Amino acid sequence: MIGRRGKLLILLYVVFLAVLFLMCSTDLIIREPERDVYQIAVIIEDSRDDNYVNFRKGMDQAAMEFQADVHFITLYEKMDADQQMELILREQQDGADALIIVPADEDRVVSALAQGQVFVPAVLLGTGLSGQGVAGTIAPDYKEMGELLAQEIAAHEGRDCQVLIFEDPGKHSAMSRLFLEGAKDAFDSMGCRWKSVFFMENGRGAEDMFQDLAGERGDRTAILAQNPEILTETAAILSEIPGFEGSLYGRGSTLGILNYLDRGRIGGICVTDQFGAGYLSVETAVRALEEGGSQGREELDVWYIDKEDLRRPEYEKLLYPVE
């Protein structure tokens, strides 16, 4: 028989266990550390680009994993560096913990960071430029991309093919300079003939040149476009010139570019993983907030894609919006 004292001890022990259970289950004793929700502002040129869908989904995935609140601000005018600087200063004043920027003017943004005008971590997308105040950069190796594309052009068109490089000197960003530098160096090393051609705004002046080339008989001609905009515009012009014998190459994976590639108007393109770019940018910003200092450069992989690759399952997430 258990005495009155024993029953009391058992009762007290049961009550103690019940209280302990309630305290643990309601976090009164073991409390999960609360994690800050970081406010991250993303300042980009345009959200209407087809690549934006995968880019945004990559950011959303990282934001969920790293407990961040990401909001997007787009420029009213593309490449408006003045407006971008105003938005950068406004967002940090409004409480953004970190910024992710696609620079309209790379040198100007890097200079502002170095001078301390931006006092929150800033991650730069699409540029390899670094310096004081830059929390990290996310970009492919554009020089390597140019080299890869030049090698593919030589392999498909032959080293005796003449290559016209369509450039717009007014839009020579750091990434474009590196891309063209890599391509030209590769052409030179392979003994290929190339010539830079100024691409007029909206294609003015280029169509007459295409017509002349279409009427020539002789060496095959390949065209390398400096950027996705020139690539798309050139493909549209060439679609109206059935007599032109030659192939068009460039970089970018917008829906328009992929359609021209599928129709055979574009011979091949170099692409990067936009989902990965979005994910890495948020991850880098959060690391900069938690660890401080520069997180260095995150280099994106580069792929060469031709028409046959469009139907390959392994490239679906790379080329088309992720559902």
Side-chain angles (χ1 to χ4, degrees), residues 72-320:
F72 286 72
I73 303 100
T74 57
L75 305 183
Y76 300 122
E77 296 288 339
K78 291 188 70 172
M79 303 302 291
D80 188 336
D82 289 335
Q83 185 191 71
Q84 185 172 64
M85 288 307 306
E86 291 176 5
L87 292 172
I88 289 172
L89 299 177
R90 186 196 73 184
E91 287 302 312
Q92 69 174 1
Q93 291 291 347
D94 287 349
D97 297 308
L99 303 171
I100 297 173
I101 306 167
V102 179
D105 184 328
E106 296 157 314
D107 294 331
R108 185 170 175 183
V109 171
V110 171
S111 176
L113 295 174
Q115 293 172 13
Q117 296 179 36
V118 181
F119 49 79
V120 299
V123 177
L124 305 185
L125 284 174
T127 177
L129 294 180
S130 60
Q132 184 179 351
V134 179
T137 59
I138 313 290
D141 186 327
Y142 283 102
K143 187 171 183 179
E144 180 183 303
M145 182 189 291
E147 292 172 353
L148 173 61
L149 195 53
Q151 291 164 0
E152 292 291 345
I153 292 173
H156 288 83
E157 307 297 331
R159 296 194 178 190
D160 59 344
C161 173
Q162 63 170 333
V163 182
L164 300 180
I165 301 178
F166 281 10
E167 304 182 37
D168 181 353
K171 295 182 179 179
H172 263 196
S173 62
M175 69 181 78
S176 289
R177 289 194 296 269
L178 288 170
F179 174 71
L180 293 179
E181 180 184 334
K184 292 173 181 178
D185 287 349
F187 285 136
D188 287 339
S189 68
M190 294 183 293
C192 299
R193 293 174 297 140
W194 60 269
K195 176 183 177 183
S196 291
V197 177
F198 176 58
F199 188 84
M200 304 293 287
E201 186 178 0
N202 298 322
R204 290 194 300 272
E207 188 167 351
D208 292 337
M209 182 186 67
F210 291 141
Q211 293 286 5
D212 292 340
L213 288 170
E216 292 180 0
R217 296 293 181 267
D219 293 339
R220 183 174 176 80
T221 300
I223 298 172
L224 171 59
Q226 168 187 317
N227 55 41
E229 293 77 18
I230 292 178
L231 178 63
T232 304
E233 196 166 343
T234 302
I237 294 172
L238 292 180
S239 296
E240 304 299 322
I241 307 176
F244 178 76
E245 291 294 333
S247 295
L248 174 62
Y249 297 85
R251 59 186 176 92
S253 57
T254 65
L255 189 57
I257 289 174
L258 296 179
N259 285 336
Y260 281 123
L261 181 64
D262 193 29
R263 290 159 51 187
R265 186 61 277 170
I266 294 176
I269 54 176
C270 277
V271 301
T272 58
D273 179 6
Q274 293 299 314
F275 182 93
Y279 185 96
L280 283 172
S281 62
V282 173
E283 181 183 19
T284 302
V286 171
R287 285 208 317 264
L289 286 166
E290 294 181 342
E291 300 172 10
S294 174
Q295 302 302 305
R297 175 189 174 98
E298 290 284 354
E299 197 166 282
L300 301 173
D301 291 331
V302 176
W303 290 267
Y304 174 79
I305 302 292
D306 59 22
K307 181 177 180 179
E308 294 180 358
D309 295 320
L310 291 176
R311 304 292 182 266
R312 294 184 180 178
E314 61 265 35
Y315 291 121
E316 284 185 2
K317 288 186 178 181
L318 183 67
L319 298 173
Y320 300 102

Side-chain angles (χ1 to χ4, degrees), residues 16-71:
F16 171 76
L17 289 178
V19 171
L20 182 63
F21 173 77
L22 289 173
M23 292 177 72
C24 291
S25 63
T26 56
D27 290 339
L28 292 177
I29 293 180
I30 304 174
R31 182 183 298 274
E32 289 292 327
E34 291 186 4
R35 210 175 152 185
D36 292 332
V37 177
Y38 299 115
Q39 301 296 320
I40 301 177
V42 184
I43 303 175
I44 58 178
E45 288 183 27
D46 194 352
S47 62
R48 293 170 294 180
D49 192 302
D50 300 299
N51 292 331
Y52 170 81
V53 177
N54 281 355
F55 175 71
R56 176 63 189 262
K57 286 184 178 294
M59 283 196 159
D60 289 343
Q61 178 67 33
M64 181 176 63
E65 293 182 16
F66 297 103
Q67 226 168 328
D69 180 15
V70 176
H71 63 282

